[in-house]
Amino acid sequence: MIRAGLLAFALAALGAFSATRTAAAQADTTRRDTTAATDTTKRDTLPALLPVFTPGIAPGPLPRGMRYTFTVDSLLLTSARTVSDVLSHIPGVYVVRGGGYGQPEIVLYAGRGPASLEVYWDGVPYVPLGRDSLYLDPARIPVAPLERIDVVLLPAALQIYLVTARQRSTAATTHVGILTGNQDVAEYRAGYSTRTRGGFGAALVADWNSIGAGITGSSTTPFGSSDIWVKFDYIPPEGRLGASFQILSASWHRAASSEASVLGWRQDRYDRQLRFFIAQRNDGLGYRLTTTLASSRISHDTALKSDRTVSSATIEASNTWPHANLVATARIGAAHLPKQLEARGGWTLFSRFTVAGGFRQSFYEGDRAGVRGFASAGLVLPLGFSVRAEGTWQRDVQALFIAADSIQTAVDVGAWIRFDHRRLSIEVGRGRRDPFAPLGFAGGIGPIDSLQPTEATEFVAAHGSVELLPGLRVSGWYYNPLIGGGDFEPPQHSRLSASFYSKFWRVYKSGIFALRAEAAVESWSRSTRGGIDRTGTGTVVTRAMTGASFVDTNIELQLAGVTLFWTVQNINRMRSSYLEGQGFPKSVQRYGARWFFTN
C-alpha cells in the first residue's frame, strides 16, 4: 500500500508538472514593454556553473581502449542496480551470484581471486573489512551517490574508480526514485544538492532497498539495506583551492538460507573523507596538490569480536600538461592499512603515440612489502586502426589483513588491435598470465570454500559495437582462456546486447522525450572449474560449472526529468545458475520511476 500510494503521488505530481508546462506554453510571450528602463540593481538569478573537484580517477592520457567509462547517463539507462552489475559489462568478468538481489555478487576476473580488483572511492582505496576482509563484494557498495565509474583494464586486474556526484550549478536539484516488483522488492531513493555563488555546496542522498524471501528452489533470502551519503564542499569561483567533507553510511542485513548455501550477514559500514586541494590554474592544467584524510569503520558484524576502524592520510602532487600528466602519491595507513608510495604518468606524442605506466611500493605489517607496476603503449594508425600493448608485474600480497598471505610474483602481458568507425567499433586481443594461487573465497557463499590454483593461461578476448540502423545498436564482448584458466573463468564466455535508443527529434523538437529498449544475453559453456567445496567430513569436492544463457530485458522512457523503467531478469527462465547448487530466480520483474528536477 505504501508503494502504491507513493506511485500514485508521483504520477499525480507528473500530471501537475505537465499541466503547468501546458499552461505556460499557452501564455502570450510575444508582448514586450519597450518603454521600461532596465533595472541594473536587480540581482542576477540565472544559474551559474562553478568549478568542482577533479574526479578521483586514474590520470590520463591512456592508450585507446584501456579505460571503460560509465557516466551518470549510462548508469541511469541500464538495468544495473549494483557495482557488480556494472562490472559485468567488462570482458572476462564473471559474477558469482548467490541468488537474486541482495545475495552475494562476488566479481572474479582472470583467476586472481581478491587480487583482481582494486576499488577506489573518490581516489581513496575502498578496502574489504569485517567478514569480507578477504574478498570485496561490489554489490554492497552504494551506487546511488555515484555519477561516474571508471574501469582501467589490465591483463589480470581491474582498477575501479568510483566518483561521487559533484554539484556544478547554483540551481538546486532534487532526485526522487521508487522501485517495486516481484518478491516484495522495493527501493526508495531521495536526493538533494545545492550550491551557492560563493562556492559552498551541500548534497544528500538516501537510499533504502529490501527484498522478501524467494520461492521454493531459489537461494534468495530476505535482505534489507540503507545507504546515506552526505557531502559538503567549498570551491570558490576562482577554482584554485577547495575543501570537501563526505560521510557514507551503509548498513545491510541478509538472512541465511535454510540449507546454509547463503550465509546470513549483518554489517554497518561508515566511511569518511576530508579533502583539500590547491592548484596553479582552474582549468585542470598545471601543478596541483591534494591531501586526503580518510577513515572506515565496521560495526555489528557477527563474524567480528569487536568493531574495526582503519584510517589513512594521503598526499598527492601532480602536474598536467596539454598532452601529458605526472602524479606522485604518498599514503600512510593506520590499523593494518599499508604505507604506500606510488607514481603514475602518461604522455601522448604527435597525437598518435601514447605511453602510460605506474609503479607502487607497499609496506605491510609483519615486515611484508609488495611491489606492483604496469606499462602500456598505444599507436593510432591510419584508416581508423589502432594498436596497444600492456604488461604488468607484481610481487605482492592479495589480502591486507591476512598475516599468513604469502607474496606471489606474476608477470602478465596483452596486445590488442582496434578499429573505430562512426558506426562500428571493434577490438580484439590476446594475452598471457603467469600461474597464481588465489587465497580462500568470499565468506557470504556457503558451498565454496576456496579456489584452485590457476595455471599459466593464454586467453583471447574481443568486444565491440555496431550501429545497424539509426538508434539500433548491437554490442557485446567475448572471452576465452584457450590454455589454462582458473575457477569461474568459463570458456566461450560472452555477453551480447541489442538496444534501440531514440529521442524522436521530428516529433519533439526540444528533445524532452526519449525511449530506450534493450535485450541482453550472457552465455558461457560448461567448465570443470567451479571452486572447491570442503564438507564437514573433510572431503574435498571440486565443483563444476554448467553452461547457461541468461536473457534480460530493459525498457526505459524519459520525459523531461522523469525516467520510467521496466526490467525483467532471466526472462528465458533458465534452470541453471551462476553457481552450482544455488537457485536463481526466474522472470524477475522490476518497475519504477526516477525524477531529476531543479527547484
Side-chain angles (χ1 to χ4, degrees):
M1 292 296 294
I2 295 177
R3 293 198 297 269
L6 287 175
L7 183 59
F9 174 77
L11 293 177
L14 177 60
F17 171 75
S18 301
T20 303
R21 292 290 299 266
T22 303
Q26 294 174 352
D28 183 6
T29 58
T30 60
R31 297 180 61 185
R32 297 289 186 272
D33 186 1
T34 57
T35 62
T38 302
D39 184 3
T40 58
T41 63
K42 185 178 180 179
R43 182 180 176 183
D44 183 10
T45 58
L46 294 177
L49 297 180
L50 300 180
V52 295
F53 265 83
T54 57
I57 60 176
L62 294 173
R64 183 176 299 180
M66 193 173 175
R67 185 200 307 265
Y68 287 72
T69 298
F70 301 89
T71 63
V72 65
D73 289 334
S74 60
L75 293 175
L76 182 64
L77 292 176
T78 64
S79 57
R81 295 190 67 194
T82 68
V83 175
S84 297
D85 291 336
V86 175
L87 296 179
S88 66
H89 293 75
I90 305 298
V93 166
Y94 188 88
V95 181
V96 183
R97 301 181 186 271
Y101 177 76
Q103 312 314 298
E105 298 180 8
I106 309 303
V107 173
L108 295 180
Y109 177 73
R112 291 293 169 86
S116 63
L117 295 185
E118 297 180 27
V119 181
Y120 298 87
W121 182 278
D122 278 341
V124 175
Y126 193 93
V127 298
L129 297 172
R131 134 178 4 208
D132 61 344
S133 58
L134 182 59
Y135 281 75
L136 187 68
D137 187 348
R140 303 284 72 84
I141 301 176
V143 180
L146 302 179
E147 72 169 26
R148 173 173 174 171
I149 299 178
D150 266 24
V151 182
V152 176
L153 185 65
L154 298 175
L158 301 176
Q159 296 177 347
I160 305 161
Y161 296 86
L162 310 175
V163 181
T164 58
R166 298 168 296 162
Q167 177 72 1
R168 298 168 176 81
S169 174
T170 56
T173 58
T174 303
H175 175 199
V176 177
I178 58 174
L179 177 147
T180 187
N182 298 118
Q183 203 173 321
D184 294 327
V185 66
E187 175 185 312
Y188 306 102
R189 183 180 300 179
Y192 178 79
S193 57
T194 183
R195 191 87 181 271
T196 67
R197 291 182 176 272
F200 291 96
L204 167 68
V205 175
D207 195 33
W208 297 272
N209 297 270
S210 64
I211 190 171
I215 61 175
T216 303
S218 172
S219 59
T220 304
T221 64
F223 172 84
S225 68
S226 60
D227 305 318
I228 300 178
W229 175 74
V230 181
K231 184 178 181 179
F232 302 96
D233 53 17
Y234 170 67
I235 305 176
E238 295 77 14
R240 297 183 182 180
L241 56 87
S244 172
F245 177 69
Q246 63 174 300
I247 300 175
L248 174 64
S249 172
S251 175
W252 59 85
H253 186 191
R254 179 171 62 230
S257 59
S258 57
E259 66 278 8
S261 59
V262 172
L263 305 182
W265 191 3
R266 165 77 185 275
Q267 187 177 102
D268 296 333
R269 174 163 179 157
Y270 305 92
D271 293 273
R272 295 179 295 178
Q273 279 191 29
L274 178 62
R275 303 173 66 193
F276 302 91
F277 83 89
I278 183 170
Q280 180 185 11
R281 300 170 51 163
N282 60 5
D283 58 357
L285 300 179
Y287 297 102
R288 178 178 293 263
L289 181 66
T290 304
T291 61
T292 304
L293 301 177
S295 68
S296 300
R297 180 168 65 91
I298 288 292
S299 62
H300 299 114
D301 192 325
T302 54
L304 294 179
K305 295 181 179 180
S306 60
D307 297 348
R308 170 180 285 173
T309 302
V310 297
S311 58
S312 65
T314 304
I315 299 178
E316 180 181 281
S318 66
N319 195 4
T320 303
W321 298 271
H323 303 289
N325 178 272
L326 185 62
V327 179
T329 304
R331 183 175 294 112
I332 300 176
H336 303 288
L337 284 184
K339 300 177 179 62
Q340 295 180 327
L341 298 174
E342 184 174 358
R344 301 184 67 138
W347 186 19
T348 298
L349 293 80
F350 313 113
S351 301
R352 288 188 173 272
F353 182 63
T354 301
V355 292
F359 172 85
R360 185 177 68 210
Q361 173 80 64
S362 303
F363 302 94
Y364 307 98
E365 288 191 353
D367 295 327
R368 298 180 300 165
V371 177
R372 296 193 184 198
F374 81 93
S376 60
L379 178 63
V380 178
L381 302 173
L383 303 178
F385 288 93
S386 62
V387 294
R388 89 170 188 270
E390 58 206 12
T392 62
W393 179 82
Q394 68 173 19
R395 188 179 180 276
D396 208 349
V397 301
Q398 300 177 63
L400 303 177
F401 304 105
I402 308 299
D405 184 13
S406 60
I407 293 176
Q408 297 188 61
T409 301
V411 178
D412 313 298
V413 295
W416 304 80
I417 182 170
R418 182 184 180 97
F419 175 75
D420 289 293
H421 186 264
R422 184 171 58 90
R423 292 190 174 182
L424 172 65
S425 176
I426 185 171
E427 187 174 59
V428 180
R430 178 159 183 158
R432 183 192 63 80
R433 304 194 309 264
D434 275 354
F436 200 83
L439 183 64
F441 194 61
I445 299 179
I448 304 301
D449 175 81
S450 56
L451 303 178
Q452 303 176 66
T454 302
E455 305 172 359
T457 302
E458 294 186 12
F459 66 91
V460 295
H463 67 93
S465 65
V466 56
E467 186 178 17
L468 301 178
L469 296 171
L472 180 60
R473 181 172 293 273
V474 176
S475 59
W477 58 260
Y478 172 82
Y479 192 93
N480 188 6
L482 299 175
I483 300 175
D487 284 338
F488 300 105
E489 193 178 10
Q492 312 295 337
H493 189 189
S494 62
R495 185 183 189 276
L496 183 67
S497 70
S499 62
F500 173 76
Y501 179 74
S502 176
K503 285 182 174 291
F504 296 96
W505 291 102
R506 297 181 181 180
V507 179
Y508 300 93
K509 295 295 185 181
S510 61
I512 65 172
F513 178 79
L515 173 67
R516 185 181 189 274
E518 179 185 22
V521 53
E522 183 181 7
S523 177
W524 61 88
S525 57
R526 181 177 176 83
S527 172
T528 60
R529 302 178 65 96
I532 298 176
D533 181 7
R534 302 180 189 272
T535 63
T537 60
T539 304
V540 177
V541 178
T542 301
R543 289 181 172 265
M545 296 181 62
T546 57
S549 297
F550 288 93
V551 180
D552 303 331
T553 61
N554 178 34
I555 299 177
E556 308 223 8
L557 177 68
Q558 283 188 333
L559 181 60
V562 182
T563 300
L564 307 176
F565 57 89
W566 174 41
T567 66
V568 184
Q569 192 175 21
N570 190 14
I571 195 173
N572 58 330
R573 301 180 62 85
M574 282 288 298
R575 295 183 180 180
S576 300
S577 62
Y578 290 82
L579 177 64
E580 186 184 32
Q582 304 291 93
F584 195 76
K586 305 176 179 63
S587 297
V588 178
Q589 300 188 54
R590 300 191 300 262
Y591 45 89
R594 293 193 177 105
W595 294 262
F596 293 88
F597 51 91
T598 58
N599 298 49

